[in-house]
Amino acid sequence: MSCSLSAVKICAKIAGRELFRDFSLSLAHKQKLALLAPNGRGKSTLLMILAGLLPASSGQIFIFDDEMKSLKDFEKHRSKIGFLFQDSNEQFVRASVLDDVGFGLLSFELCASKDEADKKALKMLESLGISHLKDKICFHLSGGEKKLVALAGVLITEPKIVFLDEPTAGLDESSSARLAEILGSIDASMLIASHDKDFISKITSNICELE
Ligand SMILES: Nc1ncnc2c1ncn2[C@@H]1O[C@H](COP(=O)(O)OP(=O)(O)O)[C@@H](O)[C@H]1O
Ligand SMILES: [Mg+2]
């Protein structure tokens, strides 16, 4: 099977302190892989490194077999890489739900007009069962609603690799269950950082522990 992402002997230092050393993983095409570790171990840092949002101190990262030698190399794959931040408020770039969800289409020039972006955004909201939120203000939503709107904004560009950082943080049981159901139905490769073993068990049995 071809790999969407491979990381070889990644080392990370934050503020001069070594966080992890020689960490390697492979994410196969359409595979869902959970990255489990307790809080503070370095999951968010690792996800950001693998997504090209932070530099590693050493090691190699391959996206679709193409080596990323610097953060700049990620740019050509940017529209194919989605990142769902732990805090949905960090994800929103527009006030209204419809504008926010369609934003990626316009910023990556995947749509010719705002009208077309709106139509696709509405379709995406419908597919996640949240079209009733389209005219709401992102910051007025509940935690569970915010998470699904943020996910809609990530999925709209049809990314091939999606990084999810603690997707159930702050969600109640029913929102977590709905999110697990949605993620299970998505056909992208996924790396999901979590310490929520129950949630992960609903999505995948592929687990990688950050020791
Ligand atoms: N920008 C930063 N400056 C200093 N320390 C940081 C920074 N980002 C993360 N850390 C520290 O690095 C460690 C790992 O953080 P993080 O990657 O957020 O872990 P996790 O996601 O597993 O909870 C923590 O001790 C955290 O305080
Ligand atoms: Mg974290």
Side-chain angles (χ1 to χ4, degrees), residues 36-159:
L36 288 180
N39 283 331
R41 185 62 198 83
K43 298 182 296 300
S44 298
T45 305
L46 179 61
L47 247 52
M48 287 201 272
I49 288 173
L50 298 179
L53 302 175
L54 264 184
S57 51
S58 64
Q60 290 174 291
I61 298 170
F62 298 85
I63 300 280
F64 314 124
D65 297 329
D66 185 10
E67 185 171 2
M68 304 291 101
K69 293 193 167 145
S70 73
L71 293 187
K72 230 173 161 236
D73 291 338
F74 283 88
E75 290 314 312
K76 63 175 175 286
H77 298 294
R78 193 50 73 202
S79 73
K80 294 289 158 214
I81 301 175
F83 199 107
L84 189 73
F85 289 94
Q86 176 168 351
D87 181 354
S88 302
N89 294 317
E90 286 182 26
Q91 196 101 34
F92 301 133
V93 287
R94 287 290 180 268
S96 91
V97 166
L98 198 68
D99 288 353
D100 189 78
V101 171
F103 178 80
L105 293 174
L106 295 168
S107 72
F108 289 119
E109 298 179 355
L110 300 172
C111 257
S113 68
K114 174 77 169 69
D115 253 14
E116 195 188 333
D118 283 351
K119 274 188 196 134
K120 287 193 170 166
L122 186 57
K123 252 187 160 170
M124 175 55 67
L125 290 169
E126 280 165 0
S127 75
L128 299 187
I130 50 168
S131 55
H132 57 287
L133 301 178
K134 72 180 171 61
D135 298 319
K136 300 248 185 202
I137 301 297
C138 295
F139 294 102
H140 293 169
L141 302 173
S142 73
E145 290 170 339
K146 279 182 181 171
K147 193 55 77 180
L148 292 184
V149 168
L151 182 64
V154 168
L155 297 180
I156 195 126
T157 57
E158 297 180 18

Side-chain angles (χ1 to χ4, degrees), residues 173-206:
E173 237 173 80
S174 78
S175 302
S176 284
R178 174 84 186 111
L179 185 63
E181 196 186 325
I182 290 170
L183 295 181
S185 72
I186 291 165
D187 218 15
S189 308
M190 280 184 202
L191 183 61
I192 311 167
S194 186
H195 62 271
D196 185 343
K197 290 188 179 168
D198 190 40
F199 171 74
I200 289 302
S201 70
K202 291 182 187 136
I203 300 171
T204 184
S205 55
N206 301 313

